[in-house]
Amino acid sequence: MEKQKQLQETIQFLKDKGITNSQVGIVLGTGLGKLVAEINIITEIPYAQIPHFPEATVEFHSGRLIYGELSGKTVLVMSGRFHLYEGYTAWEVTYGIRTMHGLGIQNLFISNAAGAINLSYKKGDLMLIEDHINLQGQSPLAFKEAKSFGNIFADMLAPYSKELNTKIARIAKQQHIKLHEGVYASVLGPQLETRAEYRMLQILETDAVGMSTVPEVIVAKQLNLPCAAISVLTDECDPKHLQPINIEEIIAIAGKAEPKMIALFKEVIESL
Ligand code: HPA
């Protein structure tokens, strides 16, 4: 019961800090932190101060949990996420999801930066994740105590809430925001893919590739927590015309497309 105990201590610590009524959870991806500026912040706590919370290492993330108001709802925002490629375990990568669930969130929204495998998609476009393929070789439900947190044989019929996705698609249409819907492949990284790997991802009929999100979504499913995720497409992964890419460029493109993602999140949260 070691992990249950840790998690309960984390949740109790945050409740004692006044985080007592969270309705919505949000995880912000690489280069996608500006949503925080729209929040009426009630409390913010650096991850390093939260008992048992993993500590953020990637320099692009500030690593803090923010509690506040957005679109008339109380939200908990993870500004800075944990990736398997940083050496965290799948338990650590998804610890924040279990924490936010323990604090009462009823819906979860996730963003990420991803490469476009579908070549009709362009850099700076958004993709609503409709389904995924887990190519990370790991599951956040494969550990000894996992059963005590819910069904480990979580069904993956609809890991992304149909209801939330329908709402988001409708909002995108109303706001004239181009929004693809597609399949996200998660890879371990941190290296980017070879041309042969991009060809494989095309053959697998995936539309985007990235290094996050899937562990969080699997845990949300174990917890019966409705979730939706949006990829900001930061590069075009054409194996025939592959360009050198650098992470700074990915982050810059994510930042440019970010306002569209923020608009969608704000309005879907308002509609809840
Ligand atoms: N591959 C994997 N992850 C990514 C990519 C990519 O091309 N772009 C942004 N994140």
Side-chain angles (χ1 to χ4, degrees), residues 1-8 52 91 145 149:
M1 294 300 281
E2 194 58 31
K3 286 189 164 62
Q4 279 285 7
K5 193 164 159 274
Q6 279 183 5
L7 185 66
Q8 290 317 315
H52 310 302
W91 164 258
E145 262 181 69
F149 293 90

Side-chain angles (χ1 to χ4, degrees), residues 113-115 187 192-193 198 209-211 234-235 237 250:
V187 295
L192 292 160
E193 290 69 42
Y198 284 137
V209 59
M211 303 171 191
T234 53
D235 53 305
C237 308
I250 285 183

Side-chain angles (χ1 to χ4, degrees), residues 8-79:
Q8 290 317 315
E9 283 173 8
T10 302
I11 292 166
Q12 194 54 50
F13 170 87
L14 292 166
K15 282 185 178 166
D16 292 345
K17 291 272 176 194
I19 303 179
T20 50
N21 173 34
S22 318
Q23 297 172 303
V24 176
I26 303 173
V27 180
L28 298 177
T30 303
L32 299 169
K34 285 205 278 292
L35 177 70
V36 171
E38 314 257 339
I39 296 168
N40 208 338
I41 297 177
I42 300 168
T43 314
E44 65 184 299
I45 307 173
Y47 293 158
Q49 289 176 17
I50 306 174
H52 310 302
F53 223 73
E55 231 183 282
T57 61
V58 168
E59 57 187 309
F60 325 108
H61 292 307
S62 50
R64 62 209 162 108
L65 188 68
I66 294 156
Y67 177 55
E69 265 171 31
L70 181 73
S71 304
K73 304 287 185 312
T74 46
V75 297
L76 260 180
V77 181
M78 289 185 67
S79 178

Side-chain angles (χ1 to χ4, degrees), residues 67-200:
Y67 177 55
E69 265 171 31
L70 181 73
S71 304
K73 304 287 185 312
T74 46
V75 297
L76 260 180
V77 181
M78 289 185 67
S79 178
R81 67 139 58 86
F82 305 97
H83 300 88
L84 292 169
Y85 71 69
E86 296 170 90
Y88 294 108
T89 63
W91 164 258
E92 290 172 314
V93 166
T94 53
Y95 196 77
I97 306 299
R98 295 192 187 281
T99 300
M100 293 193 292
H101 175 258
L103 289 166
I105 64 163
Q106 282 141 36
N107 290 281
L108 175 66
F109 296 94
I110 298 178
S111 62
N112 63 46
I117 297 297
N118 183 325
L119 297 178
S120 70
Y121 298 178
K122 300 293 164 222
K123 290 187 204 193
D125 286 356
L126 302 184
M127 184 188 92
L128 184 61
I129 303 183
E130 181 255 315
D131 205 349
H132 71 228
I133 297 182
N134 180 4
L135 296 174
Q136 294 183 311
Q138 298 192 37
S139 165
L141 308 185
F143 64 96
K144 284 198 183 115
E145 262 181 69
K147 275 200 207 78
S148 73
F149 293 90
N151 182 13
I152 63 166
F153 303 107
D155 82 57
M156 287 288 137
L157 279 177
Y160 302 84
S161 159
K162 287 239 155 55
E163 201 183 324
L164 292 177
N165 275 9
T166 303
K167 276 188 181 169
I168 293 170
R170 194 170 57 227
I171 294 164
K173 217 169 181 172
Q174 283 162 358
Q175 298 202 12
H176 307 290
I177 292 171
K178 181 153 110 180
L179 181 68
H180 307 291
E181 280 191 50
V183 175
Y184 175 90
S186 65
V187 295
L188 179 58
Q191 74 287 347
L192 292 160
E193 290 69 42
T194 63
R195 284 174 296 141
E197 286 165 341
Y198 284 137
R199 284 198 299 274
M200 174 190 77

